[in-house]
Amino acid sequence: MSTPSATPGTSSPAAAAPAVGHASVPDAGPEGGTGDAPGGRFGALGPVGLVLAGGISVQFGAALAVSLMPRAGALGVVTLRLAVAAVVMLLVCRPRLRGHSRADWGTVVVFGIAMAGMNGLFYQAVDRIPLGPAVTLEVLGPLALSVFASRRAVNLVWAALALAGVFLLGGGGFDGLDPAGAAFALAAGAMWAAYIVFSARTGRRFPQADGLALAMAVGALLFLPLGVVESGTKLIDPVTLALGAGVAVLSSVLPYTLELLALRRLPAPTFAVLMSLEPAIAAAAGFLILDQALSATQSAAIALVIAASMGAVRTQVGRRAGGRRTERRRAGGRRDKALPDVP
């Protein structure tokens, strides 16, 4: 689960597109990418590798966080992750504090609240259920956002496919998963959807990654009392601090940097589809690090949710591309009408 949900500073953030994963998809540039996309198939291998590396970093960071929970507790791990990530982002970005309106600050505060809630609820979930199912349930939040935003009948198919996956994942009633853990994962997904919306608004109001850095600071301050109450002096234990810093780097700082670099050259549809693979990466991380093996039914459920996410992404991106083509045709017609008759 990565921290950024939209690329701060982009003029057309991803609230308009389904972002499956915590990095959302800005509008594609004139060449189909989000920046200076190099030509040729080989040129896309670098950005694809960056996105996959970011996803692997996020999920293996989450697996490390699960292993850290016996030492610091779920709330303590979230506190360490947000605090260390906030310090790093503030030092790197050095955001300007003056010159922002009350609405700007209100947006970044809500963004920080959504960030804190999303992380807190997710770690409560993975403290109770395996990492793969937790991410699968959480990803339903962005998926629902994309379905509701699109309002196209075909998205009902993707929603039904996702619900079928959830039904399989719960064994027909979540008998195979801790109900509280499943509820926390679903609530984290709802906060993820809110996170996407407000990260997009923050990206419009703050330059570069300034808004993200400030929101991380807000989230860290909100969670600090909770972490202190649960973990107390455990938070300043050198080993716990080092592991918490590792979680922050793997789950926040490194994925954000990799995704930011990838988005400069990678087509938006490709980026969104790659982010849809996070449940599968999470399942692999849970198996390799935490020995959390999945049944065949749970694996099929995760595959259904991934397929639904990819379908929703492709539908939404195709709709936006069609709208741009229509606008270009209309603009071309207006220009033709403006031309004088040639004898």
Side-chain angles (χ1 to χ4, degrees), residues 235-267:
L235 294 177
I236 58 175
D237 175 75
V239 176
T240 302
L241 271 176
L243 291 173
V247 171
V249 171
L250 286 173
S251 297
S252 298
V253 179
L254 183 59
Y256 172 72
T257 303
L258 294 174
E259 290 162 2
L260 185 65
L261 292 173
L263 279 167
R264 292 176 179 173
R265 295 184 288 159
L266 192 66

Short mmCIF file of all heavy atoms in Angstrom, two decimals, residues 235-267:
data_model
loop_
_atom_site.label_atom_id
_atom_site.label_comp_id
_atom_site.label_asym_id
_atom_site.label_seq_id
_atom_site.Cartn_x
_atom_site.Cartn_y
_atom_site.Cartn_z
N LEU A 235 8.41 2.91 21.32
CA LEU A 235 8.63 3.64 20.07
C LEU A 235 10.04 4.18 19.95
O LEU A 235 10.50 4.47 18.84
CB LEU A 235 7.62 4.78 19.94
CG LEU A 235 6.15 4.39 19.79
CD1 LEU A 235 5.26 5.62 19.75
CD2 LEU A 235 5.95 3.57 18.52
N ILE A 236 10.72 4.38 21.08
CA ILE A 236 12.08 4.94 21.03
C ILE A 236 13.14 3.86 21.21
O ILE A 236 14.33 4.17 21.32
CB ILE A 236 12.26 6.06 22.08
CG1 ILE A 236 11.98 5.53 23.48
CG2 ILE A 236 11.37 7.24 21.75
CD1 ILE A 236 12.28 6.57 24.58
N ASP A 237 12.72 2.60 21.23
CA ASP A 237 13.70 1.52 21.24
C ASP A 237 14.47 1.55 19.93
O ASP A 237 13.87 1.65 18.85
CB ASP A 237 12.97 0.17 21.40
CG ASP A 237 13.92 -1.00 21.30
OD1 ASP A 237 14.66 -1.24 22.27
OD2 ASP A 237 13.92 -1.66 20.23
N PRO A 238 15.79 1.48 19.97
CA PRO A 238 16.58 1.61 18.74
C PRO A 238 16.21 0.61 17.64
O PRO A 238 16.11 0.97 16.46
CB PRO A 238 18.03 1.39 19.21
CG PRO A 238 18.00 1.78 20.66
CD PRO A 238 16.66 1.39 21.16
N VAL A 239 15.98 -0.65 18.02
CA VAL A 239 15.62 -1.66 17.01
C VAL A 239 14.26 -1.34 16.42
O VAL A 239 14.06 -1.41 15.20
CB VAL A 239 15.64 -3.06 17.63
CG1 VAL A 239 15.16 -4.10 16.61
CG2 VAL A 239 17.04 -3.42 18.12
N THR A 240 13.30 -0.97 17.26
CA THR A 240 11.96 -0.62 16.78
C THR A 240 12.01 0.60 15.88
O THR A 240 11.35 0.64 14.83
CB THR A 240 11.02 -0.36 17.97
OG1 THR A 240 10.98 -1.53 18.80
CG2 THR A 240 9.62 -0.03 17.49
N LEU A 241 12.79 1.59 16.27
CA LEU A 241 12.93 2.79 15.45
C LEU A 241 13.53 2.46 14.09
O LEU A 241 13.07 2.95 13.05
CB LEU A 241 13.82 3.82 16.16
CG LEU A 241 13.13 4.81 17.09
CD1 LEU A 241 14.16 5.68 17.79
CD2 LEU A 241 12.15 5.68 16.31
N ALA A 242 14.55 1.60 14.08
CA ALA A 242 15.19 1.23 12.81
C ALA A 242 14.22 0.47 11.91
O ALA A 242 14.12 0.75 10.70
CB ALA A 242 16.43 0.39 13.08
N LEU A 243 13.47 -0.46 12.48
CA LEU A 243 12.49 -1.20 11.68
C LEU A 243 11.37 -0.29 11.20
O LEU A 243 10.89 -0.40 10.06
CB LEU A 243 11.92 -2.36 12.49
CG LEU A 243 12.89 -3.51 12.81
CD1 LEU A 243 12.25 -4.52 13.76
CD2 LEU A 243 13.34 -4.20 11.53
N GLY A 244 10.94 0.63 12.07
CA GLY A 244 9.91 1.59 11.67
C GLY A 244 10.38 2.49 10.54
O GLY A 244 9.61 2.81 9.62
N ALA A 245 11.65 2.89 10.60
CA ALA A 245 12.20 3.69 9.50
C ALA A 245 12.23 2.88 8.22
O ALA A 245 11.96 3.40 7.12
CB ALA A 245 13.61 4.17 9.87
N GLY A 246 12.54 1.59 8.33
CA GLY A 246 12.51 0.72 7.15
C GLY A 246 11.12 0.63 6.54
O GLY A 246 10.96 0.68 5.32
N VAL A 247 10.10 0.52 7.39
CA VAL A 247 8.72 0.48 6.91
C VAL A 247 8.38 1.79 6.19
O VAL A 247 7.75 1.79 5.12
CB VAL A 247 7.74 0.24 8.08
CG1 VAL A 247 6.29 0.43 7.62
CG2 VAL A 247 7.93 -1.16 8.65
N ALA A 248 8.79 2.91 6.78
CA ALA A 248 8.49 4.22 6.18
C ALA A 248 9.15 4.36 4.81
O ALA A 248 8.52 4.84 3.85
CB ALA A 248 8.95 5.34 7.10
N VAL A 249 10.39 3.93 4.71
CA VAL A 249 11.11 4.06 3.43
C VAL A 249 10.50 3.13 2.39
O VAL A 249 10.24 3.52 1.24
CB VAL A 249 12.61 3.76 3.63
CG1 VAL A 249 13.31 3.67 2.29
CG2 VAL A 249 13.25 4.84 4.49
N LEU A 250 10.24 1.88 2.78
CA LEU A 250 9.70 0.89 1.83
C LEU A 250 8.27 1.20 1.43
O LEU A 250 7.88 1.01 0.27
CB LEU A 250 9.78 -0.51 2.43
CG LEU A 250 11.15 -1.16 2.52
CD1 LEU A 250 11.08 -2.47 3.29
CD2 LEU A 250 11.73 -1.40 1.13
N SER A 251 7.46 1.68 2.36
CA SER A 251 6.03 1.84 2.10
C SER A 251 5.64 3.24 1.66
O SER A 251 4.53 3.43 1.16
CB SER A 251 5.22 1.48 3.36
OG SER A 251 5.39 0.13 3.70
N SER A 252 6.50 4.23 1.86
CA SER A 252 6.13 5.61 1.53
C SER A 252 7.15 6.30 0.64
O SER A 252 6.85 6.67 -0.49
CB SER A 252 5.92 6.42 2.83
OG SER A 252 4.87 5.90 3.60
N VAL A 253 8.35 6.49 1.16
CA VAL A 253 9.33 7.33 0.47
C VAL A 253 9.78 6.72 -0.85
O VAL A 253 9.74 7.36 -1.90
CB VAL A 253 10.54 7.60 1.39
CG1 VAL A 253 11.57 8.45 0.66
CG2 VAL A 253 10.09 8.28 2.68
N LEU A 254 10.22 5.47 -0.83
CA LEU A 254 10.74 4.83 -2.03
C LEU A 254 9.66 4.64 -3.10
O LEU A 254 9.88 4.98 -4.27
CB LEU A 254 11.39 3.48 -1.67
CG LEU A 254 12.05 2.72 -2.81
CD1 LEU A 254 13.14 3.56 -3.46
CD2 LEU A 254 12.63 1.40 -2.30
N PRO A 255 8.46 4.10 -2.77
CA PRO A 255 7.46 3.94 -3.82
C PRO A 255 7.02 5.26 -4.43
O PRO A 255 6.80 5.34 -5.65
CB PRO A 255 6.27 3.28 -3.11
CG PRO A 255 6.71 2.93 -1.77
CD PRO A 255 8.04 3.55 -1.51
N TYR A 256 6.89 6.31 -3.60
CA TYR A 256 6.49 7.60 -4.16
C TYR A 256 7.52 8.09 -5.17
O TYR A 256 7.17 8.55 -6.25
CB TYR A 256 6.33 8.63 -3.04
CG TYR A 256 6.11 10.01 -3.60
CD1 TYR A 256 4.91 10.35 -4.20
CD2 TYR A 256 7.12 10.97 -3.57
CE1 TYR A 256 4.71 11.59 -4.75
CE2 TYR A 256 6.93 12.21 -4.11
CZ TYR A 256 5.73 12.52 -4.69
OH TYR A 256 5.54 13.75 -5.24
N THR A 257 8.80 7.96 -4.81
CA THR A 257 9.85 8.42 -5.72
C THR A 257 9.84 7.62 -7.02
O THR A 257 9.92 8.19 -8.12
CB THR A 257 11.23 8.27 -5.04
OG1 THR A 257 11.23 9.01 -3.81
CG2 THR A 257 12.33 8.80 -5.94
N LEU A 258 9.72 6.29 -6.92
CA LEU A 258 9.72 5.46 -8.12
C LEU A 258 8.52 5.75 -9.01
O LEU A 258 8.64 5.84 -10.23
CB LEU A 258 9.73 3.98 -7.71
CG LEU A 258 10.99 3.48 -7.01
CD1 LEU A 258 10.80 2.04 -6.54
CD2 LEU A 258 12.20 3.59 -7.92
N GLU A 259 7.34 5.91 -8.40
CA GLU A 259 6.14 6.18 -9.19
C GLU A 259 6.19 7.55 -9.84
O GLU A 259 5.73 7.73 -10.97
CB GLU A 259 4.90 6.04 -8.30
CG GLU A 259 4.64 4.59 -7.90
CD GLU A 259 3.72 4.45 -6.71
OE1 GLU A 259 3.25 5.50 -6.21
OE2 GLU A 259 3.47 3.31 -6.28
N LEU A 260 6.77 8.52 -9.13
CA LEU A 260 6.90 9.86 -9.70
C LEU A 260 7.79 9.83 -10.94
O LEU A 260 7.48 10.44 -11.96
CB LEU A 260 7.46 10.82 -8.65
CG LEU A 260 7.54 12.30 -9.05
CD1 LEU A 260 6.14 12.86 -9.26
CD2 LEU A 260 8.26 13.10 -7.98
N LEU A 261 8.89 9.08 -10.86
CA LEU A 261 9.78 8.96 -12.01
C LEU A 261 9.09 8.21 -13.16
O LEU A 261 9.22 8.59 -14.32
CB LEU A 261 11.06 8.21 -11.60
CG LEU A 261 12.00 8.94 -10.64
CD1 LEU A 261 13.13 8.02 -10.19
CD2 LEU A 261 12.57 10.21 -11.27
N ALA A 262 8.35 7.16 -12.82
CA ALA A 262 7.68 6.38 -13.86
C ALA A 262 6.61 7.18 -14.58
O ALA A 262 6.45 7.06 -15.81
CB ALA A 262 7.08 5.12 -13.25
N LEU A 263 5.88 7.99 -13.84
CA LEU A 263 4.77 8.74 -14.43
C LEU A 263 5.24 9.79 -15.44
O LEU A 263 4.43 10.30 -16.21
CB LEU A 263 3.94 9.40 -13.34
CG LEU A 263 2.93 8.47 -12.65
CD1 LEU A 263 2.39 9.11 -11.39
CD2 LEU A 263 1.80 8.12 -13.60
N ARG A 264 6.50 10.11 -15.43
CA ARG A 264 7.01 11.06 -16.41
C ARG A 264 7.13 10.45 -17.80
O ARG A 264 7.18 11.16 -18.79
CB ARG A 264 8.39 11.58 -15.96
CG ARG A 264 8.33 12.44 -14.71
CD ARG A 264 9.73 12.85 -14.26
NE ARG A 264 9.68 13.69 -13.06
CZ ARG A 264 10.75 14.06 -12.38
NH1 ARG A 264 11.96 13.67 -12.77
NH2 ARG A 264 10.62 14.82 -11.31
N ARG A 265 7.19 9.11 -17.88
CA ARG A 265 7.42 8.46 -19.18
C ARG A 265 6.42 7.37 -19.51
O ARG A 265 6.40 6.90 -20.64
CB ARG A 265 8.83 7.85 -19.19
CG ARG A 265 9.96 8.87 -19.09
CD ARG A 265 11.30 8.18 -19.20
NE ARG A 265 11.60 7.41 -17.99
CZ ARG A 265 12.47 6.40 -17.93
NH1 ARG A 265 13.09 6.02 -19.03
NH2 ARG A 265 12.69 5.78 -16.82
N LEU A 266 5.60 6.97 -18.54
CA LEU A 266 4.73 5.82 -18.75
C LEU A 266 3.32 6.25 -19.12
O LEU A 266 2.77 7.15 -18.47
CB LEU A 266 4.69 4.98 -17.46
CG LEU A 266 4.06 3.59 -17.57
CD1 LEU A 266 4.91 2.70 -18.46
CD2 LEU A 266 3.93 2.99 -16.18
N PRO A 267 2.71 5.63 -20.14
CA PRO A 267 1.32 5.94 -20.46
C PRO A 267 0.41 5.68 -19.26
O PRO A 267 0.57 4.70 -18.54
CB PRO A 267 0.99 5.00 -21.62
CG PRO A 267 2.32 4.68 -22.22
CD PRO A 267 3.30 4.67 -21.08
#
